[in-house]
Amino acid sequence: MDSQGPGRHVGRRGLTSPLRAVRRSLGTSMVLFATSAGIVLIAVLLVAVTMTIRNDVFSERRAAILTDAHQRTVAAQAAFDVATVDTADDLATTAQAQLAAINDSFAGAGGVGVSLRRAEDETATTVINDLTTNADLVALVTDDLVAQVDAGQAGTEYSQSVGIPDSAGGTDPGLVVGARVNLPLAGGYDLFLVYTLAPEQHVIDLATRAIVIAGAGFLLILIIGLWALASRVLIPIRRASLAAERLAAGHLNERLPVVGENEIATLSRSFNNMADSLEAQIQAWENLSKVERLFVSDVSHELRTPLASIRLAAEQIWQARNEIHDPFAARSLEILMREIDRFEQMLSDLLEISRIDSGRVQLRAAEADITATLRGVLDLVAVHVEASGSPIRLHAPAEPVVAEVDVARVERILRNLIVNALEHAEGSPIDITVAANDDAVAVRVRDHGVGMSPDVVKKVFDRFYRADPSRKRTLGGTGLGLSISLEDAVLHGGTLTAWGWPADGASFLLTLPRRLGPDATPGTFTKPGPLGVVPDDAPPVSRAGTHAVQTDEAAPVSPALTPSPASRRSDVDRNDDAGIAGPNGGDPEAPGRGAGVGADESPTAKTPEDALARGQREEEHP
């Protein structure tokens, strides 16, 4: 069975290839249809015309042969009537001479032989032998023809079509004409005259050959004409298709030549108008995007100066907090210190997002052990791990998992994923799994906390998105952490995918190629990678909630266009406790999670309690 399988597969592929070519090419379809129609038309024409010519020629020739045979039969009968015979030998001699005369005289009319045989119902006592001018033609006289002549009337000719042997071993069409004659003393005898139709068959063959040649020429002209017409129509269409592809690839100056006033020219003008409109719109959007990026960058930079002054003043007040006896003022100071830290983190994240959106980010590639990098991140967030009460369970191979990455960005991704899991694990264990194959490495962070609904999974990488705005954040964050993590993964040519289910926790999977491209460009790996985003202990019903956010390989961005962010912005209003929040249109009661913590978040705690503890340590160790 195995040896036959490939053969069947190849055969099936060979059969489907022409059909695929026909489906993909309108010109080929038109030519194939015209060829099929032409062949059928020529076959019908050939059969109809040939049969008409054959019937007409045969009818006319048969009538002429019957007339000639009638005249010769009458002449032979007259000769027998006037002949003086006394014996059978005299009759035989006379009959032989008459057959020879007929054979010599009717060759010009197509005659090839004459035969004379005694009628089956004749009872005369005088009998002569059957006579013939060509013994090979005796077998052409059939019993049916003999029966017709015997049963017919005297002076009436009867005919039958036969095949006459030729010198080449084949047969030519012919006609045998039979009639009754009366011989002196011997009575009734049947006279058979054999005529050939070879000249008429030659005429029919010439006509058939001429029709075939004319039909083949017509078919060839039809195919060439249709191919030329199809090419004239399809070449502009193909040109328009290629121009549309180039336009989609970012070549906004692509235009089609306009020739004439026909439908093709109208199509070209419409395409050019569309291209002009698209170029104008994209240019306007690009200018607007540049303005937005410059605004974000400038505002972020400009806000650093007053923020530094505010932080300096706040720290001075914080150092003198023991002199503040009003509980409300003390609480306000704690909130102020927390929001200053958050504001500073937000400015850093906005600057990073601005750099990514501008397309000016360059990776700093280096060989790194992903497992060692992960352990280093766990050491940095040890304070958060201890405060959350969620044990970390690391599942990593014993051998190093080496990949070419930007270590700082990978550390930021891992830190965001771990801190995000700590935020929502609610004291449950967190499983971190490291896996690798020949061309990719993967890290999955799985918590067993509140989880996410499928709707939240689809939006979890949106900037500033929070599924449950009322949920209190214990580790700070700006709502940009997961968005920046996704951007960092895409810069490596990797993917960052999410899975979650209410009350069953969530899972985030980072997959990166082992090798980057030339000059630290994004690398590639074979999908789906060494590890799946859905954990083994996930409920079966929850596997439909998997959502992957990754680069769009089907629609590459042209360098002619300004690079756009890989993550999505939610189309609904946001309004969290910092003025930017999750959507109002979702289900606020569904378990969810925030978009993560800041990309450059410090490993030390930023909560009011941590700030208070930091102040106490400063007092104890001035």
Side-chain angles (χ1 to χ4, degrees), residues 14 35 82 117 206 264 269 337 412 420 522 567:
T35 303
V82 300
R117 64 172 61 181
L206 288 178
I264 300 298
R269 280 193 293 271
M337 295 299 296
R412 180 164 58 191
N420 192 67
S567 62

Side-chain angles (χ1 to χ4, degrees), residues 369-525:
D369 182 2
I370 301 300
T371 304
T373 302
L374 176 60
R375 294 183 185 278
V377 172
L378 289 175
D379 291 339
L380 291 176
V381 298
V383 174
H384 298 313
V385 175
E386 182 178 356
S388 66
S390 296
I392 301 295
R393 300 184 298 201
L394 180 60
H395 312 278
E399 64 276 3
V401 180
V402 180
E404 184 181 13
V405 295
D406 186 327
V407 179
R409 294 184 181 275
V410 172
E411 287 180 346
R412 180 164 58 191
I413 297 173
L414 297 176
R415 183 169 64 249
N416 284 332
L417 296 182
I418 294 172
V419 174
N420 192 67
L422 292 172
E423 176 74 28
H424 301 86
E426 296 185 336
S428 62
I430 297 176
D431 294 298
I432 303 178
T433 306
V434 181
N437 58 15
D438 294 337
D439 60 355
V441 297
V443 179
R444 184 176 66 200
V445 179
R446 157 76 156 128
D447 67 73
H448 301 268
V450 296
M452 297 184 292
S453 66
D455 291 337
V456 173
V457 173
K458 295 179 182 179
K459 301 178 181 179
V460 72
F461 293 103
D462 290 356
R463 296 174 183 178
F464 302 107
Y465 176 73
R466 290 189 67 192
D468 187 3
S470 62
R471 180 179 177 84
K472 179 182 177 181
R473 297 189 182 191
T474 60
L475 300 179
T478 64
L480 293 172
L482 289 181
S483 298
I484 295 177
S485 298
L486 174 62
E487 305 287 359
D488 287 337
V490 172
L491 288 174
H492 285 81
T495 60
L496 183 59
T497 54
W499 167 91
W501 198 253
D504 281 303
S507 172
F508 287 83
L509 174 65
L510 171 67
T511 306
L512 300 175
R514 276 186 177 269
R515 306 296 302 178
L516 295 176
D519 299 327
T521 55
T524 58
F525 66 94

Side-chain angles (χ1 to χ4, degrees), residues 556-612:
V557 177
S558 170
L561 298 178
T562 302
S564 60
S567 62
R568 307 178 308 278
R569 289 183 181 272
S570 180
D571 294 330
V572 294
D573 295 333
R574 296 167 170 84
N575 110 15
D576 64 357
D577 54 352
I580 304 174
N584 298 328
D587 182 7
E589 301 301 327
R593 60 177 62 220
V597 298
D600 293 321
E601 187 176 50
S602 173
T604 57
K606 297 297 182 181
T607 62
E609 292 77 10
D610 293 334
L612 182 59

